[in-house]
Amino acid sequence: MTATGLMLPSRTAEPRSVSRLAASAAAVDGGVMSNPEVLAWLDRRRREHAQRVERVPFAALRGWGFDERTGDLRHASGRFFSVHGLRVRSDFGPVSAWSQPIIRQPEIGLLGIALRDFDGVPHLLMQAKPEPGNVNGVQLSPTVQATKSNYSRVHGGSAVPYLKLFRRAARESVVADVLQSEQGSWFLRKRNRNMVVEVGPEAEAGEDFAWLTLGQVHALLRQDNLVNMDARTVLSCLPDWRQEDTRRALHTDREIRSWITRRRAGHEVEVVPIGLAETAGWHRTADEVAHERALYFKVVAVDVSSRRREVPSWSQPLLEPHGTGVVALFVRRVGGVPHALLRARAEPGFLDVVELGPTVQCVPENYTHLPAADQPPYLAEALARADGAAYDVVLSEEGGRFRNAQSRYLIIEAESDLPTVSDDFRWVTPCQLDELLHYSHHVNVQARTLVAALRAL
């Protein structure tokens, strides 16, 4: 048992493919498909999935409208998601109180990757999927990426392929199965079920799907805006196939768990749902809900047509951030053991106050009006060392809810004397992160992307 009373997962019960993940990660030159074939397949899917996404006024939204009493933006079915207001008081960060719009999507979605052996090498079934908010249309996504409203077919569209592989998975075939959060600054307590399931020859790749080795996916993860956020979070939930001597970690597992508990108990975050019309400092026009200082983000409306989605056309709101995010992870070796500098972040949408985030996670433009003392810790160091980063890739956030949302993800080798500026920071080993990823609400979605990227290195 852990200090929190949770039973640690049994390594002996893992499916047989897990022990061969190292071979899949090493297969960078291809397996079922060669690398040139993968790129040609992606190019065909981009052409086939060309979609039209047009900004429209809110009045042109089909099936959506503002509540006359609260101002909340909702779908007529009561499903999918809605945009509400939130009043926040927090001791985390330079601003202690504010109001903001936030996306509320209480249903739990399913993100799943199927894993199948070919000639003894595990392959992942990846999907070429267009999303209306993506900067480039099609990106590589999990086998299944669907909200409950989608796979329950509230929209009246076609069925979600491969869904039964995950909803009817035998216990012994499940490699990973955990609820994980999404952006706590933009979503209110949003969670998705992240799954990896081992399948057999009954699972074949349709035209929008391809069996790729882990090594091939890792190579694609080093390209801008190619592997989507949902694929990255599921990849991070794969068991870490690399070995390290945890006895030489800077902090024991018990110390890390105690630190997380202490930060959750120590940080104060008061969240009060309010009507969207009550959000102080925000204004609504005919075609956007925006902050009075043009900071943070805005809520806009789009009309979409796509020949290859579950429904051929629809309209919806999207959250559009102002500026490109910077998400950086400092890493170093201590006694030969790799460590990453994580921050215990308190965000208003988190279910449990605090989750572990990267060393730096912000949109720099949102801080330019603040004094130097209120700039995000380590941001200046990250930007100064970005040119020598081991990983430097621009990646899209959730394209189904956010429009043109991109962050520059960095992994930077740190000097041994890099100080920790507060009790919100700790050096954590990849093995300790792997253990925390077995449980919900411990590692945030931005840090999970960097876990996947770190393994890709």
Side-chain angles (χ1 to χ4, degrees):
M1 300 288 284
T2 70
T4 57
L6 295 171
M7 183 68 72
L8 290 174
S10 171
R11 297 294 186 183
T12 60
E14 289 174 335
R16 55 190 175 86
S17 288
V18 172
S19 62
R20 295 198 293 277
L21 284 176
S24 187
V28 295
D29 295 324
V32 170
M33 297 174 70
S34 68
N35 291 340
E37 288 172 334
V38 170
L39 295 176
W41 166 73
L42 279 169
D43 189 54
R44 289 194 303 272
R45 294 301 92 206
R46 290 190 188 101
R47 293 196 303 270
E48 184 67 24
H49 282 291
Q51 59 181 2
R52 179 191 59 80
V53 181
E54 181 184 358
R55 276 280 307 271
V56 296
F58 288 123
L61 285 172
R62 290 169 281 157
W64 294 83
F66 290 98
D67 185 279
E68 292 183 359
R69 182 177 60 87
T70 65
D72 295 345
L73 183 54
R74 305 174 184 271
H75 192 262
S77 67
R79 302 290 296 275
F80 301 108
F81 64 96
S82 53
V83 183
H84 296 248
L86 205 66
R87 185 178 296 124
V88 185
R89 292 186 182 276
S90 173
D91 66 348
F92 185 89
V95 179
S96 61
W98 70 93
S99 296
Q100 66 167 90
I102 199 158
I103 298 172
R104 183 176 183 269
Q105 188 173 337
E107 61 186 33
I108 294 174
L110 176 60
L111 308 176
I113 293 179
L115 191 68
R116 177 183 166 187
D117 274 6
F118 289 88
D119 297 326
V121 178
H123 285 59
L124 294 82
L125 185 59
M126 306 301 293
Q127 179 182 182
K129 187 178 182 69
E131 294 286 352
N134 287 345
V135 295
N136 56 350
V138 169
Q139 297 190 12
L140 204 63
S141 81
T143 315
V144 170
Q145 176 186 318
T147 66
K148 188 173 183 180
S149 291
N150 288 146
Y151 66 71
S152 300
R153 302 172 72 177
V154 172
H155 49 47
S158 57
V160 176
Y162 305 104
L163 181 64
K164 65 180 181 181
L165 295 178
F166 301 90
R167 300 196 71 193
R168 302 177 187 174
R171 181 168 59 181
E172 62 273 12
S173 71
V174 176
V175 178
D177 189 1
V178 61
L179 292 177
Q180 299 287 14
S181 66
E182 295 201 9
Q183 285 85 353
S185 295
W186 296 341
F187 280 114
L188 181 61
R189 299 177 177 176
K190 175 71 172 72
R191 297 181 295 168
N192 280 319
R193 187 179 182 185
N194 288 233
M195 298 186 71
V196 179
V197 173
E198 189 173 50
V199 301
E202 74 282 357
E204 298 181 353
E207 62 179 351
D208 289 331
F209 299 81
W211 290 106
L212 306 182
T213 67
L214 191 52
Q216 288 176 307
V217 175
H218 283 168
L220 297 173
L221 189 56
R222 293 192 285 270
Q223 298 186 36
D224 289 352
N225 292 317
L226 187 47
V227 179
N228 81 355
M229 186 194 82
D230 296 303
R232 302 190 307 260
T233 179
V234 180
L235 289 170
S236 76
C237 295
L238 277 170
D240 196 341
W241 58 92
R242 302 165 302 167
Q243 301 296 316
E244 64 185 59
D245 185 356
T246 58
R247 295 171 298 178
R248 292 185 292 167
L250 271 177
H251 308 284
T252 67
D253 293 353
R254 184 181 298 276
E255 288 170 343
I256 293 297
R257 291 193 299 269
S258 178
W259 166 64
I260 295 171
T261 302
R262 187 167 65 249
R263 300 321 299 148
R264 285 177 169 171
H267 276 302
E268 297 179 5
V269 180
E270 179 187 354
V271 175
V272 179
I274 58 175
L276 184 59
E278 299 178 61
T279 51
W282 296 76
H283 62 268
R284 185 179 113 197
T285 66
D287 55 8
E288 66 180 25
V289 177
H291 191 264
E292 61 190 5
R293 300 181 65 175
L295 295 173
Y296 313 120
F297 59 85
K298 57 188 175 184
V299 179
V300 301
V302 297
D303 192 74
V304 188
S305 61
S306 173
R307 291 180 295 171
R308 299 300 299 271
R309 288 292 297 262
E310 294 88 350
V311 290
S313 65
W314 71 96
S315 58
Q316 68 171 91
L318 290 172
L319 185 153
E320 184 173 352
H322 288 288
T324 299
V326 173
V327 182
L329 188 68
F330 280 94
V331 297
R332 67 182 176 105
R333 288 186 173 270
V334 181
V337 177
H339 286 69
L341 186 59
L342 277 294
R343 186 180 192 187
R345 291 186 56 88
E347 297 182 20
F350 284 160
L351 190 64
D352 204 1
V353 183
V354 159
E355 295 188 16
L356 299 191
T359 318
V360 177
Q361 177 189 317
C362 69
V363 176
E365 289 88 338
N366 291 333
Y367 292 83
T368 54
H369 64 290
L370 297 175
D374 289 334
Q375 297 300 305
Y378 300 111
L379 174 61
E381 291 89 340
L383 294 176
R385 305 178 195 186
D387 287 345
Y391 184 84
D392 184 358
V393 181
V394 175
L395 297 171
S396 295
E397 306 302 338
E398 170 60 72
R401 298 292 176 265
F402 311 137
R403 184 172 188 262
N404 298 336
Q406 301 179 88
S407 297
R408 184 184 183 186
Y409 281 86
L410 300 160
I411 298 177
I412 301 170
E413 294 278 351
E415 290 87 353
S416 58
D417 60 350
L418 186 73
T420 52
V421 297
S422 77
D423 194 45
D424 282 330
F425 292 87
R426 281 290 184 281
W427 290 99
V428 180
T429 71
C431 185
Q432 289 169 330
L433 273 172
D434 179 57
E435 199 64 65
L436 292 171
L437 282 162
H438 285 81
Y439 307 112
S440 304
H441 318 135
H442 279 71
V443 183
N444 80 356
V445 67
Q446 290 89 349
R448 294 198 301 273
T449 282
L450 287 166
V451 168
L454 196 59
R455 294 174 182 175
L457 297 179

